[in-house]
Amino acid sequence: MKVIKGVVYFVLIMLAAVLLAAVFAPSQKTVTRRIEINASQKIIFNQIANFRNWKNWDAWFAKDTLQKRTYYGTLNDKKQGYAWSSENKNVGEGRMEMKAIMDMDQLAYTFYVDNRPNEGFFSLIEKGNKTEVVWQMYSNLGYPFRILNYFIDPMIGPDFEEGLKNLKILTENMSTATATENEIQIVNER
């Protein structure tokens, strides 16, 4: 009986500690990653704005290439996005919708996990022949779920980094291929 009482007290104390920690947890948290890519803004924009291209570079597709993805809408539609489901616990289920596109400079999206929306955006900043890509997401959770904001950056940040590295490799290779195709070679024959 003492053992059961001890276990019950331990569980109650742990639950109280978690709920108390949630009181002090931030209700909002921002996850931000950035990378500089040797490719034009247009090439990068075309990869991000078209969700069908995401499988070429996003970190979540690489974790489960057999996941089910359903696409809806196109770039010019009012509602464009995709939903995914996977048996892999690291991928799970969710959906992503494009909210707004401001020229080729910024793309705003809503990322749904467990039917909770998280807002975010991509910024594409041209710097000569390079483009700085900023990927950002805001987590806005109420009590007691805001305790998850302590863990959101370590959970999602590495996937953002991996996705941006993949995007860099993909678009830089596209940029090189495009430049090579458009080069004019002058050959002198004797």
Side-chain angles (χ1 to χ4, degrees), residues 21 31 50 67 71-72 77 89 96 105 110 124 129 132 140 168 176-177 190:
V31 179
N50 183 348
Q67 66 183 261
Y71 300 94
Y72 51 94
D77 293 340
K89 67 178 182 164
M96 196 158 204
D105 299 327
T110 304
L124 307 176
N129 294 335
E132 181 183 28
N140 190 2
K168 178 180 174 73
T176 302
R190 295 184 190 252

Side-chain angles (χ1 to χ4, degrees), residues 33-35 54 56-63 135 156-170:
R33 296 296 187 271
R34 61 185 70 234
I35 196 165
W54 280 45
N56 299 325
W57 58 270
D58 87 51
W60 295 289
F61 186 76
K63 289 181 181 183
W135 190 354
I156 294 180
D159 291 334
F160 279 18
E161 288 173 19
E162 184 68 26
L164 287 174
K165 286 178 189 174
N166 294 341
L167 181 65
K168 178 180 174 73
I169 292 166
L170 176 71

Side-chain angles (χ1 to χ4, degrees), residues 115-131:
N115 287 323
R116 277 192 224 112
N118 297 289
E119 305 298 322
F121 68 88
F122 286 90
S123 286
L124 307 176
I125 305 150
E126 276 192 308
K127 295 180 173 184
N129 294 335
K130 298 179 182 183
T131 305

